[in-house]
Structure formats: structure tokens, C-alpha cells
Amino acid sequence: MEIENINPNIYQKCGEREKLSTDEEEGFTELFDTREIFDLVRVINDPEHPLTLEELHVVQENLIAVDNERNEVKVKFTPTIPHCSMATLIGLSIRVKLLRSLPPRFKVTVEITPGTHSSEHAVNKQLADKERVAAALENTHLIEVINQCIAV
């Protein structure tokens, strides 16, 4: 496999989230915030580099929206280059990580940050199509790659 972005910019990781007293309470209806979702996706490994999506600024907390009342989580991600061929794989990795980590009540939407990728509309269409996502996740090679990306 040829690496597309040989010399990506690497950014500093943010600190760990401070635990709140309500984080461990029994009977407390768990509400999610953008930082909690960011903490789930920031550790995903990039498929091309031995770096996390946080270190490459592919995911950023300010590009995440959580609506607990509507049970919706929306994540926008920014590929490191406008023609990144790994964009769909990165989006699938984010989606799978969230689907495995969040309660099933949540509708998860993963999209490319507008204006940051040459095939943004095509990739977003693939990531939004439940049947295409399900078919992709039946591909044993693809799911192995995704599992490697999301392994912590």
C-alpha cells in the first residue's frame, strides 16, 4: 500500500477528561457530551500512519454534536489531504466505534467536514447508507482493518 500523505502534520493530544461525581452514580440516566464522544473516537488509529485521529486533527471536539433528547450523535471528520482514499475507511471506523460504544438508542451520523475532501458528497452518501455500511461490515478483510483501527 502506498502512503498518500507521507509527512502529515502532527498535533498535540489534549489532556484526559476530568471525572465528574455523576460519572459513577447508580441510577443516573447517562447523558453524553461532546467530550465523551471525542474521547471515544480520538484514540482510533489512522489506517496509514501509527498515529491517532486526534494527533492528525482528523477528529476534533468542536466538530461533534450530541443531542441527548433526540438521541443523536453527529461527528464531522477532516481527512489530512483533500483526495484521501482512506476517508470512507476512517468514517466507517468512527461509525463502528460509536455503534459499539454507545447505547443503541443513539442515531449516529458520521460525515466529512464540508469543503475538506474532493469526494465529500460520495463518501457522505456511502456513510449514511445503512445497507452499504452493513454490506461493507460483512467484508471480512475490511472488518479486520476497522478492528485494527479501533483497537485501543
Side-chain angles (χ1 to χ4, degrees):
M1 180 172 82
E2 185 177 321
I3 294 178
E4 291 179 346
N5 188 0
I6 280 193
N7 193 18
N9 291 329
I10 301 173
Y11 299 85
Q12 185 173 356
K13 293 180 182 181
C14 65
E16 292 299 316
R17 179 175 187 234
E18 190 174 312
K19 296 278 185 195
L20 304 174
S21 61
T22 56
D23 286 348
E24 304 296 327
E25 281 185 27
E26 296 267 338
F28 180 75
T29 302
E30 188 170 12
L31 298 178
F32 291 85
D33 60 18
T34 57
R35 178 55 194 253
E36 196 163 4
I37 301 305
F38 178 67
D39 284 344
L40 291 170
V41 299
R42 73 187 197 146
V43 296
I44 295 172
N45 296 305
D46 182 78
E48 285 189 319
H49 300 284
L51 299 165
T52 65
L53 297 185
E54 176 188 20
E55 290 171 307
L56 294 169
H57 263 210
V58 172
V59 293
Q60 299 172 52
E61 187 177 355
N62 65 332
L63 296 176
I64 296 171
V66 178
D67 186 334
N68 284 287
E69 288 183 20
R70 291 189 173 145
N71 298 317
E72 293 178 344
V73 171
K74 295 180 182 179
V75 177
K76 294 190 186 319
F77 69 99
T78 308
T80 60
I81 51 176
H83 56 278
C84 176
S85 65
M86 298 289 159
T88 304
L89 178 58
I90 291 168
L92 280 171
S93 296
I94 294 168
R95 187 172 177 77
V96 168
K97 176 71 174 186
L98 292 175
L99 290 174
R100 289 180 182 175
S101 303
L102 293 174
R105 66 184 167 97
F106 280 100
K107 178 183 187 276
V108 174
T109 303
V110 178
E111 296 178 335
I112 291 179
T113 306
T116 63
H117 194 274
S118 57
S119 300
E120 162 190 339
H121 298 293
V123 173
N124 286 345
K125 186 176 179 179
Q126 286 182 311
L127 293 173
D129 187 324
K130 288 181 183 180
E131 289 177 10
R132 287 172 113 174
V133 169
L137 298 179
E138 288 178 9
N139 179 316
T140 54
H141 175 69
L142 186 57
I143 199 66
E144 281 178 28
V145 173
I146 290 170
N147 284 337
Q148 287 175 346
C149 289
I150 65 176
V152 178

